[in-house]
Structure formats: C-alpha cells, structure tokens
C-alpha cells in the first residue's frame, strides 16, 4: 500500500486504560459521597456474591495466556523459562499463521464459568460466615471478644467458604486442564470433552483433582483474603492521611483505588507462593494422563490418596516444586489487584460497599 494511503498508527490502548482508571476513580468518589441506601441481609450478601462472581470470572479469563504458559512449564521439565514455554505452545498449535495464537486461550470457557461460581461462593460465603460469627461473638462477649478473635474468625471463614467454592470449581478446573494439556480435548471443546469423560471414563474423573485443588485453593484463598483485608486497611488509612495532609478539603477517598491495587498485588503474590506446589500437583494429576507433552515428567500417574500426593510433593526438589512460579506470580499478582478493584467498584454500584451493620440488641423484659 502506498505510504500516502497508510493510516497513522495511534496507540489507543494506553490512553483507554488511563481514561478508564480515571473514570473508575471518579465514579468511586461519587458513589462513596452519595447517601448509603438501607441494606437488608439477603440483598447485601447477594450483592457481594455478584461482585465476587464478576471480578473472579473476568480476571481469571484475562490471564488465561499466562496460565497456559505456566501449565506448559509444569508439564515439560525440559522447558526453561516462560519464553521457551510460550514458543512451545505456539509451535504445538495445529492452526496456521496468527491463528496459532488461539492456543494461548485454550480453556478460557471453563475458566470463566468455573471462577464465576467460585467467586460468588468464596466472597459471598466469606462475608456471610464472618458476619454471623462476629454477630454471635458480639452478643456473647462484646467488642473485646470480637477484637480478640478477629483473625481466627477471618481465617476459618475464608477456609470454609473456599471449601464450598472448590466443590463447584473442581470439575471445570479438570476440564480446563484437559483442554490445555491435550490437543484432542482442545479440538473437541468444552462440551464434547465433558461428554467424552462421562461416556468413556469414570464420571468421578471430574473430581480427580479435588484434593490438590483444595490443597491449592485453601491456602490461596485464606492468604489472599486475609492479607488483602489487613493490608488494604493500613494502606487506605495511610492514603487518606496523605491526601488530607495535601488537600484538607478533599474527601480522602481519591487515592483508594490505588491503595486497592497495591494491596491486591501484595495479596496475590503471597497467595501464589504458598499455593504453588499444590498447583503443580494439580496440573500433573489432571493433565498428564492424556497429555502428549508429558514425556519428560518422571511420573505421569500419581496416586489418588491425600497421603500419597503429599509424599509425591515431598519427594520433589524445591526447584521442581516451584517450577512455573514466575508466570504464575505475575499472573496472580496482576489478576488479584484487578480483581479487587472490580470487586470494590461492583459492590459500590450495587450499594453493598460497606459491612452489614449488626442487628440491634434485644432487651429482655422481665
């Protein structure tokens, strides 16, 4: 094409991201300054579940390419580094030309569906259990008891909510790994892969990865939710003090979106590190049995029992247990920060941004 007819290349993406961030921040300030509507228990926790489902489904879908690269590194011990894994994924694709890039989005449909269910159950269940425990504790022991038991209640509530969420996530996580690690399953797609497993394999295969998924998700979720909640309070308080010191007439909430991003980065990094060995175990259990890239993995069939799986993890070297940590660390940190920004703003739009107030004390009439 002649140079005179060429259209100038305008890099719109950075400007769109900047404008979106400004719009989210300004909208957050507007919503926080508006009068808060009266909350009911059902609508409050339903709103939290919707916000969690939206945030988790979108963010996990966005980082599927990094997940594909991480999975390839875990399945093939001869690959060194994310770039080599990305090149291997690209070369292994059966499509031609730039369509080979579609291989980096294998498993996006079960990922979106699975984490929609998981996010709703995890966030909604966490807030519901925490609120119920604090309400009972406040009624029996007062605020001193609540302050003393805050961290244990947060830990137990996050673990219980994630256990319920893992039950919903496990089948879709198995399907995702089949699609990512087996070219035949990738060509079949989600529906036909599910049909194949139900017809030609034991339906219990869909829960073959339940133990390693729970081993991964429980420390992941507990670390993520608790670290985020602790860090965001500290960072938000510091950001408010800084903003008010610079501009006393400001609302003190303009820096909140940036505090959420920072807290999300910390929470995501911590969660990725503590849960990565179980993520490796999950990949090898659910992917290598049907994978054509697992020839370099010493053991492709791992026993189903929890003790045997724990022994398999203990037999690994530290480097092998944390193979693929680089892309997963980047994936989880970025994803978690974006996830909490979405979660916070969806809660604002639904009017469930604050905590549900405890019920009023009932005076006994003698």
């Amino acid at each position: 094409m002649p140079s005179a007819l060429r259209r100038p290349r305008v890099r719109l993406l950075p400007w769109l991201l900047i404008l979106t961030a400004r719009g989210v921040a300004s909208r957050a300030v507007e919503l926080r300054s508006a009068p808060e509507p009266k909350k009911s228990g059902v609508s409050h926790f339903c709103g939290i579940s919707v916000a969690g489902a939206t945030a988790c489904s979108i963010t996990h879908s966005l980082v599927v390419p990094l997940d594909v690269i991480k999975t390839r590194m875990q399945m093939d011990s001869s690959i060194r580094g994310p770039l080599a894994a990305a090149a291997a994924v690209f070369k292994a694709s059966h499509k031609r030309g730039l369509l080979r890039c579609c291989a980096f989005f294998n498993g996006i449909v079960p990922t979106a569906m699975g984490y929609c269910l998981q996010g709703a159950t995890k966030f909604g269940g966490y807030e519901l259990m925490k609120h119920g425990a604090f309400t009972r504790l406040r009624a029996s022991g007062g605020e001193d008891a609540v302050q003393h038991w805050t961290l244990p209640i947060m830990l137990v509530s996050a673990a219980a909510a994630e256990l319920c969420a893992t039950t919903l996530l496990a089948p879709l996580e198995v399907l995702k790994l089949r699609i990512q690690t087996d070219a035949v399953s990738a060509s079949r797609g989600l529906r036909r892969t599910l049909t194949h497993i139900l017809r030609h394999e034991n339906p219990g295969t869909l829960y073959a990865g339940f133990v390693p998924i729970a081993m991964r998700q429980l420390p992941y979720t507990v670390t993520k939710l608790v670290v985020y909640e602790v860090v965001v309070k500290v960072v938000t308080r510091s950001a408010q003090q800084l903003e008010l010191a610079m501009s006393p007439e400001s609302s003190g909430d303009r820096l909140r979106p940036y505090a959420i991003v920072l807290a999300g980065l910390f929470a995501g990094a911590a969660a990725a590190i503590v849960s990565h060995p179980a993520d490796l175990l999950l990949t090898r259990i659910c992917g290598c049995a049907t994978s054509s890239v697992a020839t370099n993995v010493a053991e492709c069939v791992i026993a189903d029992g929890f003790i045997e799986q724990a022994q398999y993890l203990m037999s690994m070297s530290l480097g092998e247990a944390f193979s693929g940590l680089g892309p997963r660390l980047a994936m989880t940190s970025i994803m978690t920060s974006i996830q909490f920004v979405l979660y916070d703003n969806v809660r604002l739009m639904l009017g469930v941004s604050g905590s549900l107030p405890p019920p009023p004390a009932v005076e006994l009439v003698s």
Side-chain angles (χ1 to χ4, degrees):
M1 182 182 292
S3 59
L5 298 178
R6 289 179 183 170
R7 294 181 179 178
R9 296 179 63 185
V10 180
R11 299 186 181 275
L12 294 177
L13 185 57
W15 292 104
L16 287 175
L17 292 175
I18 292 172
L19 292 174
T20 302
R22 287 182 178 178
V24 168
S26 61
R27 180 60 176 162
V29 173
E30 292 175 5
L31 288 170
R32 289 187 184 279
S33 60
E36 189 173 354
K38 187 177 180 180
K39 304 172 185 174
S40 67
V42 175
S43 63
H44 179 80
F45 293 114
C46 285
I48 290 175
S49 297
V50 170
T54 303
C56 288
S57 182
I58 292 175
T59 50
H60 279 272
S61 299
L62 287 174
V63 296
V64 162
L66 285 172
D67 188 41
V68 170
I69 293 171
K70 178 267 301 180
T71 301
R72 185 67 185 230
M73 291 177 67
Q74 292 177 337
M75 292 298 298
D76 193 342
S77 58
S78 67
I79 292 178
R80 302 297 180 189
L83 293 179
V89 171
F90 188 78
K91 290 178 182 177
S93 177
H94 295 288
K95 298 183 182 295
R96 295 182 178 181
L98 292 177
L99 290 177
R100 286 187 172 187
C101 293
C102 295
F104 291 99
F105 293 92
N106 283 344
I108 192 169
V109 175
T111 296
M113 294 171 61
Y115 282 97
C116 179
L117 297 173
Q118 191 253 9
T121 308
K122 174 173 67 178
F123 281 98
Y126 173 62
E127 294 294 337
L128 178 63
M129 294 178 192
K130 194 173 61 170
H131 175 76
F134 284 149
T135 300
R136 290 181 177 84
L137 194 60
R138 187 177 286 108
S140 60
E143 289 298 331
D144 291 338
V146 171
Q147 293 295 327
H148 181 73
W149 291 98
T150 293
L151 186 58
I153 287 175
M154 289 167 62
L155 293 172
V156 173
S157 298
E162 181 53 48
L163 193 60
C164 297
T166 299
T167 305
L168 301 176
L169 174 66
L172 289 156
E173 189 77 358
V174 170
L175 290 169
K176 181 203 76 171
L177 286 169
R178 283 290 185 94
I179 292 171
Q180 287 182 346
T181 59
D182 182 28
V184 177
S185 296
S187 63
R188 287 191 184 122
L190 175 62
R191 183 178 60 83
R192 292 175 60 196
T193 299
L194 175 61
T195 303
H196 176 82
I197 291 175
L198 294 177
R199 287 181 179 176
H200 302 287
E201 301 180 35
N202 185 350
T205 302
L206 293 173
Y207 278 92
F210 180 80
V211 171
I213 290 175
M215 290 169 63
R216 180 192 70 181
Q217 289 298 123
L218 284 174
Y220 174 86
T221 295
V222 170
T223 304
K224 182 177 78 170
L225 291 179
V226 174
V227 169
Y228 171 79
E229 191 162 346
V230 172
V231 173
V232 78
K233 288 180 181 177
V234 175
V235 176
T236 302
R237 191 180 302 116
S238 302
Q240 286 177 341
Q241 292 174 355
L242 177 62
E243 183 180 344
L244 292 173
M246 296 174 61
S247 179
E249 69 277 1
S250 64
S251 62
D253 283 330
R254 292 189 179 276
L255 294 177
R256 180 177 171 81
Y258 307 102
I260 291 173
V261 170
L262 184 61
L265 289 172
F266 275 106
I273 292 171
V274 300
S275 64
H276 192 77
D279 183 74
L280 172 68
L281 180 66
L282 172 65
T283 300
R284 292 190 176 178
I285 286 179
C286 298
C288 64
T290 59
S291 175
S292 60
V293 301
T295 55
N296 293 306
V297 178
E299 298 180 39
C300 286
V301 179
I302 304 170
D304 292 335
F306 171 77
I307 296 177
E308 289 82 358
Q309 292 171 4
Q311 290 174 345
Y312 180 83
L313 276 179
M314 296 297 293
S315 68
M316 296 181 187
S317 65
L318 193 62
E320 184 181 6
F322 284 92
S323 60
L325 178 61
R328 187 163 184 261
L329 195 62
M331 174 184 76
T332 307
S333 299
I334 296 170
M335 177 184 67
T336 305
S337 61
I338 298 173
Q339 185 178 105
F340 278 113
V341 170
L342 288 173
Y343 174 67
D344 189 65
N345 283 279
V346 173
R347 287 185 63 175
L348 280 170
M349 289 186 286
L350 295 177
V352 292
S353 58
S355 59
L356 188 67
V362 178
E363 296 182 0
L364 299 178
V365 180
S366 57

